[in-house]
Amino acid sequence: VFKKCLMQILLPVLDDVKSLRALVNPDISKIRNIGIMAHIDENNMLFIHHGLPVFTDFMAQERERGITIQSAAVTFDWKSHRINLIDTPGHVDFTLEVERALRVLDGAVAVFDASAGVEAQTLTVWRQAEKHHVPCVCFLNKMDKPAANFSIESIRQKLKVNPVLLQIPVGSGKGFTGVVDLLTNQRLIWKQSSMGDDGRVFESKPLDQSDEPELLQEAHEARTALIEQVAELDDEFAEILLTDFIDNFDAVPSTKLQDAVRRVTLARKGVPVLCGSSLRNKGVQPLLDAITAYLPAPNERRWYKDDLCALAFKVLHDKQRGPLVFLRIYSGTLKPQTAVHNINRNSTERMSRLLVPFADQHVEIPSMTAGNIALTVGLKQTVTGDTIVSSKASAAAAARRAQNDRGTEKKGGENAGVVLSGVEVPDPVFFCTIEPPTMAKQADLENALNCLQREDPSLKVRVDPDSGQTILCGMGELHIEIIHDRIRREYGIETHLGPLQVAYRETILHNSSTTDMLDRTVGERRHVVAVELSVSPVDPSSPGASCELAFTEELGMQLSKEMKDAVENGVYSSYLQGPVLGYPLQGVSTLIQSVNMEPGTSPAMVSACVSRCMLKALKQAGGQILEPVMSLEVTVGEEHLSSVLGDLAQRRGTIRDIQKVQLPLTFEMPVTEHYSLNLFCF
């Protein structure tokens, strides 16, 4: 709803989308690369509504479910500024989409439900923004809900930041009509005269004595508190305040206050907070003004100077155009029909076309300069996280400049210092099998999975060596469900998802020694062999625990290579089938003490005798079934710790360490509880 409102406000601006004049590269100081991040469903994107075009939720799954699944970029102009907006999902299963968007953004808008405050996934995306040092603006949405609570304490306490209140609401619940801008003392009122009113028009007027006394008093107190708070966070503003306005805070110019709020925001000492109601289309224009006023323009240390340097942060597959690669340009100029060098792949590719995602259209343009986000066609080898430069020579020159700046010698290769940091891909937490309807579709399924993995690095595909099953590894049940649906819709393959076959193992409990003898005549040839060996357990839970084989020093020197191989075949074939239920063995050490044989005994008979002797020894040692376990980390508030511990105990989890709330709680639990693990989305 928030983005639906944003699109409606911008429709007049987007009418001239096909005009190249509207796409002229602006000055870098006028560019804002921002993202929208929120809890699930707080930033649902625009769907077809009253004839309006689609904004960024273009996938069928997004429209059906009413959530954002893939991050998508859109470009528009607002009051002489170019805004490159990336919409990010709010569901934890698609956290990579947030991660790679924040990697290339300069600022972000965090959207909150005013009736709920800071929610679970809000914390997750906020931590991601902090990791990338992204300045943020907060927007308290749904101010017209009856339960709306205009309180910033949730932001202060849970996000551990200084909320800087720039507005107060006019009215509450259904009576919410607008906001008071505390910087300018302007009252902004949206009068919804009809059902078709889309919120583009609002009334702005200064506060005066004709307004309600309670509103005047509240605005005066809030502005005074704002001035005092900004003075505490910004030394330059504090000096101005003490020098010129110590006796009259009301005389502080809005421009001085705005400049100070911008410095506080860029230094990440405070977070501007605005409010509104997207459903009624109230408060979005001031938010756009805040984006241009307080969030930063692109600014990167430029070892490449004026040469091209860009980061690939997203890949899409188009049936007609092939791979579409989103690039954030940090320096230089990007042009179509030119060759570019991929440092990570050490390859050169030709970019055929250059597009800008303007509204819901991809408009072809002749060039794109630093600070912008571009969509390219023709880069078939580039993947998420790759650094794109103009040439090898450019990369080498940048490496030399970087080394001179750092005063260090060459280390890790010529280009080690000039590859942009890529996107951190989280480890998968949800696993299931996937099968094609027939073996004839296996190759098509593999192609589909390869394309989807290139688009989504958080999706992993592997073949289980024990069961031979194809395993999908993802960020959650919904993530895998969306992948399954895309394979059906986009690639026309009706696949089947199923549970994993649990990879149990066996081990032995005690030491055991035994002997065995084989005396067999095959045709005219007699085969006689006697074997003595011992087995002992090795801790199966220790890192890299496996089954071992050794010979006594004397025997190792006596046996020929052919007979050693025969003994090894007999031992390792026994490791494949344990004595309890026939699962493979783990954590067993075998020592071959003697192998005596008559001349003419074949290696096959030696191997058979060793295998039989191993079976006797393993049975004597006693067996035990081993379940696979996985290590997990959970971060949980102190008030929920006891209930979480109880739940983990019911699932046979073993607690290894408990630390303070800010640090992880670690434990192990059987993988047989895998589907329950999806519940642990803290």
Side-chain angles (χ1 to χ4, degrees):
V1 173
F2 169 73
K3 289 170 280 185
K4 165 179 169 270
C5 170
L6 181 61
M7 184 62 181
Q8 289 175 323
I9 300 301
L10 295 171
L11 275 178
V13 180
L14 302 178
D15 288 340
D16 193 31
V17 64
K18 294 183 180 179
S19 170
L20 284 179
R21 286 179 299 174
L23 300 175
V24 172
N25 289 310
D27 184 272
I28 194 169
S29 65
K30 297 292 186 180
I31 297 175
R32 299 291 182 270
N33 293 310
I34 63 136
I36 300 175
M37 59 185 194
H39 185 75
I40 308 165
D41 296 340
E42 283 309 309
N43 59 342
N44 289 342
M45 211 31 147
L46 175 69
F47 51 90
I48 299 295
H49 182 71
H50 296 310
L52 297 178
V54 175
F55 196 22
T56 61
D57 280 356
F58 55 88
M59 293 175 62
Q61 294 90 342
E62 292 175 314
R63 296 177 202 164
E64 290 172 0
R65 297 169 186 268
I67 61 173
T68 301
I69 294 172
Q70 281 196 347
S71 59
V74 61
T75 297
F76 58 86
D77 293 329
W78 178 257
K79 295 184 178 179
S80 78
H81 285 77
R82 167 67 51 81
I83 297 180
N84 297 313
L85 171 68
I86 296 183
D87 170 38
T88 64
H91 198 287
V92 68
D93 282 18
F94 310 109
T95 188
L96 175 69
E97 293 292 326
V98 182
E99 177 74 21
R100 59 183 174 184
L102 289 173
R103 169 61 186 84
V104 298
L105 294 176
D106 300 315
V109 177
V111 183
F112 303 88
D113 184 335
S115 64
V118 177
E119 299 174 85
Q121 183 61 8
T122 314
L123 283 167
T124 301
V125 296
W126 191 270
R127 291 191 193 106
Q128 289 175 291
E130 284 191 326
K131 181 174 73 174
H132 293 287
H133 308 290
V134 175
C136 295
V137 169
C138 294
F139 184 75
L140 296 180
N141 195 20
K142 303 181 181 179
M143 287 298 300
D144 57 344
K145 288 178 67 173
N149 177 23
F150 186 70
S151 172
I152 56 177
E153 283 308 307
S154 175
I155 297 175
R156 190 192 315 277
Q157 293 175 6
K158 294 186 178 181
L159 301 184
K160 310 299 181 186
V161 296
N162 293 314
V164 180
L165 194 62
L166 303 186
Q167 298 174 341
I168 59 171
V170 177
S172 61
K174 291 184 178 180
F176 174 73
T177 58
V179 299
V180 174
D181 185 334
L182 298 178
L183 281 81
T184 61
N185 268 330
Q186 293 281 320
R187 177 173 175 168
L188 312 179
I189 300 298
W190 282 260
K191 295 181 178 179
Q192 197 155 3
S193 56
S194 65
M195 290 298 293
D197 192 343
D198 58 14
R200 297 187 207 178
V201 179
F202 64 97
E203 178 184 291
S204 175
K205 66 173 185 176
L207 286 175
D208 55 37
Q209 297 305 315
S210 63
D211 290 306
E212 301 87 340
E214 296 84 359
L215 180 63
L216 289 173
Q217 180 66 22
E218 183 183 1
H220 177 74
E221 293 175 356
R223 191 173 196 269
T224 301
L226 170 64
I227 291 172
E228 292 175 349
Q229 181 185 15
V230 174
E232 290 179 1
L233 299 174
D234 184 73
D235 292 341
E236 183 179 337
F237 182 71
E239 185 176 347
I240 294 173
L241 199 64
L242 293 173
T243 304
D244 302 327
F245 305 103
I246 187 64
D247 297 325
N248 185 10
F249 282 4
D250 291 338
V252 175
S254 61
T255 54
K256 296 289 186 184
L257 185 53
Q258 180 172 300
D259 291 343
V261 172
R262 176 175 175 79
R263 289 192 296 271
V264 167
T265 306
L266 298 186
R268 299 176 62 246
K269 295 179 179 179
V271 182
V273 179
L274 298 91
C275 63
S277 168
S278 295
L279 182 62
R280 304 301 176 191
N281 302 326
K282 300 172 182 177
V284 176
Q285 297 95 327
L287 176 61
L288 289 168
D289 292 336
I291 288 171
T292 60
Y294 306 124
L295 294 182
N299 186 20
E300 179 89 354
R301 188 177 184 185
R302 295 168 64 175
W303 286 319
Y304 285 89
K305 294 192 175 179
D306 293 328
D307 289 339
L308 173 66
C309 178
L311 178 71
F313 68 93
K314 186 177 176 65
V315 178
L316 294 176
H317 278 84
D318 185 274
K319 290 183 179 179
Q320 282 74 39
R321 292 177 288 196
L324 304 177
V325 180
F326 284 85
L327 297 178
R328 162 68 194 269
I329 307 172
Y330 286 103
S331 64
T333 302
L334 198 61
K335 296 181 180 180
Q337 298 299 325
T338 57
V340 294
H341 181 67
N342 185 323
I343 295 181
N344 303 72
R345 311 286 147 202
N346 193 26
S347 63
T348 299
E349 298 186 87
R350 177 167 290 275
M351 181 180 57
S352 58
R353 299 173 64 193
L354 182 63
L355 310 171
V356 60
F358 206 85
D360 63 325
Q361 305 177 43
H362 292 162
V363 181
E364 192 162 357
I365 56 172
S367 66
M368 184 70 82
T369 56
N372 281 290
I373 291 174
L375 186 58
T376 64
V377 180
L379 303 182
K380 297 181 180 179
Q381 298 179 30
T382 302
V383 299
T384 297
D386 285 355
T387 299
I388 303 298
V389 298
S390 57
S391 65
K392 279 188 176 182
S394 171
R400 288 192 295 271
R401 283 191 287 269
Q403 288 157 9
N404 291 336
D405 286 350
R406 294 169 177 162
T408 59
E409 297 178 359
K410 284 188 179 181
K411 289 183 181 180
E414 183 178 63
N415 297 325
V418 292
V419 175
L420 298 174
S421 61
V423 178
E424 184 178 328
V425 179
D427 294 329
V429 297
F430 191 89
F431 310 88
C432 71
T433 62
I434 185 168
E435 298 176 357
T438 64
M439 289 307 296
K441 290 285 188 180
Q442 181 66 35
D444 293 337
L445 176 59
E446 291 176 359
N447 175 65
L449 291 174
N450 287 336
C451 291
L452 290 171
Q453 284 183 92
R454 189 179 178 198
E455 287 188 20
D456 182 0
S458 66
L459 172 68
K460 307 291 184 185
V461 181
R462 61 180 175 86
V463 176
D464 187 272
D466 297 317
S467 65
Q469 295 177 303
T470 300
I471 312 296
L472 289 186
C473 315
M475 300 308 299
E477 188 173 4
L478 179 59
H479 182 204
I480 296 299
E481 192 178 314
I482 295 298
I483 294 295
H484 183 224
D485 192 51
R486 289 189 62 189
I487 292 172
R488 179 180 64 84
R489 292 178 190 245
E490 298 174 23
Y491 297 91
I493 307 172
E494 294 286 347
T495 55
H496 172 69
L497 299 182
L500 301 181
Q501 291 182 8
V502 177
Y504 291 107
R505 293 287 187 270
E506 296 183 23
T507 192
I508 58 174
L509 300 175
H510 311 288
N511 296 335
S512 174
S513 297
T514 187
T515 61
D516 197 16
M517 181 177 178
L518 185 147
D519 186 346
R520 186 173 300 173
T521 301
V522 179
E524 298 181 355
R525 190 175 176 185
R526 188 182 180 200
H527 304 268
V528 181
V529 59
V531 175
E532 181 181 359
L533 57 80
S534 63
V535 294
S536 57
V538 178
D539 183 5
S541 64
S542 62
S546 60
C547 292
E548 304 168 353
L549 169 62
F551 296 86
T552 62
E553 186 177 352
E554 183 181 354
L555 181 62
M557 296 176 64
Q558 290 177 355
L559 289 179
S560 65
K561 183 180 184 305
E562 184 181 31
M563 288 305 170
K564 273 189 177 180
D565 291 343
V567 172
E568 290 177 358
N569 288 339
V571 172
Y572 285 115
S573 64
S574 301
Y575 287 159
L576 297 176
Q577 192 168 3
V580 183
L581 294 175
Y583 291 111
L585 284 162
Q586 179 174 319
V588 177
S589 177
T590 301
L591 176 65
I592 308 297
Q593 296 166 325
S594 69
V595 178
N596 299 310
M597 68 197 82
E598 294 286 338
T601 300
S602 71
M605 291 300 174
V606 173
S607 182
C609 183
V610 170
S611 181
R612 194 166 69 176
C613 190
M614 281 287 296
L615 181 59
K616 288 171 60 177
L618 293 171
K619 286 184 176 179
Q620 291 176 11
Q624 180 183 27
I625 297 293
L626 298 175
E627 288 183 296
V629 296
M630 66 189 301
S631 296
L632 302 177
E633 291 184 357
V634 175
T635 302
V636 61
E638 188 175 1
E639 67 274 17
H640 302 299
L641 181 60
S642 59
S643 59
V644 169
L645 291 176
D647 191 69
L648 294 175
Q650 290 181 1
R651 302 172 191 278
R652 296 178 293 136
T654 302
I655 308 299
R656 296 190 305 190
D657 185 30
I658 299 178
Q659 300 179 8
K660 298 217 175 191
V661 173
Q662 294 291 335
L663 299 174
L665 171 153
T666 60
F667 58 92
E668 286 187 347
M669 65 187 304
V671 174
T672 46
E673 297 287 345
H674 165 71
Y675 285 96
S676 298
L677 293 182
N678 195 41
L679 299 174
F680 296 105
C681 299
F682 298 101

